[in-house]
Amino acid sequence: MIEFIKQPWHWSIAGIMIGLTVPILLLIGNKTFGISSSLRHICAACFPANLSYFNYNWRKEIWNLFFVFGVLLGGIITNQFLSNPNDIIINENTIRDLKALGVTDFSNLMPSDIFSVDNIFTLKGLIFFVIGGFLVGFGTRYAGGCTSGHSIMGLSNLQLPSLIATICFMVGGFAMTNLILPYIFKLF
Amino acid sequence: MNNIEKQKIEEFVCDAPNNQVASESFVSNLKYLFVGIVFGIVFIKAEIVSWFRIQEMFRLQSFHMYGVIGTAVVVGMISVQIIKRFKIKTISGESVVIPKKPFNKGQIYGGLIFGLGWAITGACPGPLFAQIGYGFLVVGVTFLSAIAGTWVYGALQSKLPH
């Protein structure tokens, strides 16, 4: 059984479980699914700086922080007990394309060429961690939600604004991957 | 700012509001911790947190991520319809409230900006937490930067086109 769980899970299993998060959160506490709000609550709790955007009762939304702390614990538990012993299997064409860009490590979930502590104070670190993270935080707040709040919760509730947001997420991602990333990789 | 105004702004931007009337204790909040743990395990086991999987998706070289998101949306949609149709109540007996998301141009500009960041980092906000937990500690830098991005949005909100 445990060996079975350790294998990478099929997309349909993950899709069903993620989809079920929507009714589960609604029914156990009238909570609307969304994760990027947690970043806002952290700002509101730690450094509100008298900004009206962070001046609200974040304690009422504390469930969201419990939830994301759970996601972090889920990562730790998987690493300790359920980790896949084999290399990740990704599409050959993706490997070929990324090799051409200079990625050499294809063993784990993230390439160590980029996501290693040694890169923190390098140009790579600046782009992939600092700028990338900033765009994620700024963009999700500006859009009023992320993949969970808009693409899953919003689309589940048939919200047109969420469809527009989701299309824009995808357009941004396609543009970065296919148009901008090749130039970024030339910098290293 | 009076309360009504404040409420308006919150409704406008908070994508994951707590609509439960009754307040909750620490123990009661552990429910969400548990759901989060399961969610985090699914994120890692289905490799949704993988930078490679995001690259596959944006290069149209794998169905994996489309399958995950598509299935999740269908399951979520059916569930929400069932809850609405049969007026299913929460476990504490309240009517389920799902706020509408009003349109503003932020969904376009912000959506594009987030998309750019998603393809660089290989993570939306949820996977950031799971990646750090799984041991990619360097993603902590990405996380802090995402907090900074959130804060800067809060500081500039009134000056940005919406």
Side-chain angles (χ1 to χ4, degrees), chain A residues 19-92:
Chain A
L20 285 177
T21 309
V22 170
I24 287 172
L25 289 175
L26 285 171
L27 294 177
I28 66 173
N30 234 339
K31 308 293 188 278
T32 310
F33 180 44
I35 295 181
S36 58
S37 295
S38 63
L39 302 175
R40 183 183 180 192
H41 304 327
I42 292 169
C43 287
C46 301
F47 8 80
N50 275 328
L51 295 167
S52 61
Y53 188 72
F54 298 120
N55 180 17
Y56 61 95
N57 183 13
W58 59 269
R59 283 183 182 81
K60 184 169 178 278
E61 312 296 335
I62 201 148
W63 77 274
N64 205 275
L65 299 177
F66 276 80
F67 183 81
V68 294
F69 186 63
V71 175
L72 184 101
L73 289 180
I76 295 174
I77 291 168
T78 314
N79 183 20
Q80 293 298 313
F81 306 108
L82 306 171
S83 178
N84 177 13
N86 304 314
D87 286 3
I88 183 171
I89 298 167
I90 43 175
N91 188 285
E92 287 167 19

Side-chain angles (χ1 to χ4, degrees), chain B residues 7-81:
Chain B
Q7 208 177 4
K8 259 190 193 162
I9 289 178
E10 270 194 52
E11 275 175 359
F12 186 64
V13 287
C14 187
D15 56 311
N18 170 16
N19 293 306
Q20 177 154 301
V21 180
S23 61
E24 286 176 289
S25 66
F26 180 85
V27 176
S28 178
N29 271 306
L30 291 178
K31 296 196 291 278
Y32 311 108
L33 182 89
F34 180 75
V35 178
I37 289 174
V38 175
F39 200 79
I41 293 173
V42 173
F43 263 11
I44 307 256
K45 289 316 300 173
E47 299 172 342
I48 296 157
V49 304
S50 168
W51 186 82
F52 292 119
R53 291 292 189 188
I54 305 300
Q55 284 291 311
E56 276 182 341
M57 168 173 70
F58 286 132
R59 293 170 188 278
L60 295 174
Q61 289 165 340
S62 166
F63 179 72
H64 186 83
M65 287 298 298
Y66 295 100
V68 171
I69 298 175
T71 311
V73 171
V74 171
V75 171
M77 218 178 260
I78 295 169
S79 309
V80 168
Q81 291 312 312

Side-chain angles (χ1 to χ4, degrees), chain A residues 95-111:
Chain A
I95 295 180
R96 187 199 59 213
D97 292 355
L98 292 175
K99 273 188 179 160
L101 291 176
V103 177
T104 57
D105 172 37
F106 293 89
S107 58
N108 210 331
L109 292 173
M110 325 264 285

Side-chain angles (χ1 to χ4, degrees), chain B residues 83-152:
Chain B
I83 288 174
K84 283 183 175 170
R85 180 75 53 88
F86 297 101
K87 297 192 172 59
I88 300 174
K89 298 250 195 280
T90 70
I91 51 169
S92 55
E94 295 179 10
S95 298
V96 171
V97 179
I98 311 177
K100 288 203 162 25
K101 296 184 192 281
F103 175 74
N104 71 76
K105 292 192 207 80
Q107 282 137 10
I108 297 174
Y109 304 133
L112 291 170
I113 293 169
F114 164 54
L116 295 172
W118 189 12
I120 300 182
T121 62
C124 20
L128 283 180
F129 293 96
Q131 288 171 349
I132 296 168
Y134 194 62
F136 293 104
L137 297 182
V138 73
V139 178
V141 179
T142 317
F143 171 71
L144 291 177
S145 204
I147 302 241
T150 303
W151 193 89
V152 169

Side-chain angles (χ1 to χ4, degrees), chain A:
Chain A
M1 180 68 187
I2 197 82
E3 290 308 313
F4 181 72
I5 293 176
K6 279 184 174 181
Q7 298 171 26
W9 295 1
H10 192 260
W11 52 262
S12 60
I13 308 284
I16 291 169
M17 292 184 77
I18 294 170
L20 285 177
T21 309
V22 170
I24 287 172
L25 289 175
L26 285 171
L27 294 177
I28 66 173
N30 234 339
K31 308 293 188 278
T32 310
F33 180 44
I35 295 181
S36 58
S37 295
S38 63
L39 302 175
R40 183 183 180 192
H41 304 327
I42 292 169
C43 287
C46 301
F47 8 80
N50 275 328
L51 295 167
S52 61
Y53 188 72
F54 298 120
N55 180 17
Y56 61 95
N57 183 13
W58 59 269
R59 283 183 182 81
K60 184 169 178 278
E61 312 296 335
I62 201 148
W63 77 274
N64 205 275
L65 299 177
F66 276 80
F67 183 81
V68 294
F69 186 63
V71 175
L72 184 101
L73 289 180
I76 295 174
I77 291 168
T78 314
N79 183 20
Q80 293 298 313
F81 306 108
L82 306 171
S83 178
N84 177 13
N86 304 314
D87 286 3
I88 183 171
I89 298 167
I90 43 175
N91 188 285
E92 287 167 19
N93 295 327
T94 311
I95 295 180
R96 187 199 59 213
D97 292 355
L98 292 175
K99 273 188 179 160
L101 291 176
V103 177
T104 57
D105 172 37
F106 293 89
S107 58
N108 210 331
L109 292 173
M110 325 264 285
S112 60
D113 312 66
I114 300 167
F115 296 92
S116 88
V117 179
D118 301 337
N119 283 336
I120 291 183
F121 295 107
T122 64
L123 182 63
K124 241 182 204 176
L126 178 71
I127 294 172
F128 282 92
F129 312 143
V130 180
I131 296 176
F134 189 91
L135 294 175
V136 169
F138 186 87
T140 50
R141 264 329 64 222
Y142 199 173
C146 60
T147 337
S148 55
H150 274 311
S151 308
I152 296 179
M153 184 68 224
L155 291 185
S156 291
N157 195 31
L158 310 175
Q159 298 292 297
L160 182 61
S162 293
L163 180 61
I164 294 168
T166 302
I167 291 169
C168 292
F169 300 163
M170 297 306 294
V171 170
F174 280 116
M176 175 54 75
T177 304
N178 297 290
L179 304 176
I180 308 173
L181 219 47
Y183 290 98
I184 289 179
F185 273 102
K186 281 193 186 143
L187 299 171
F188 315 121

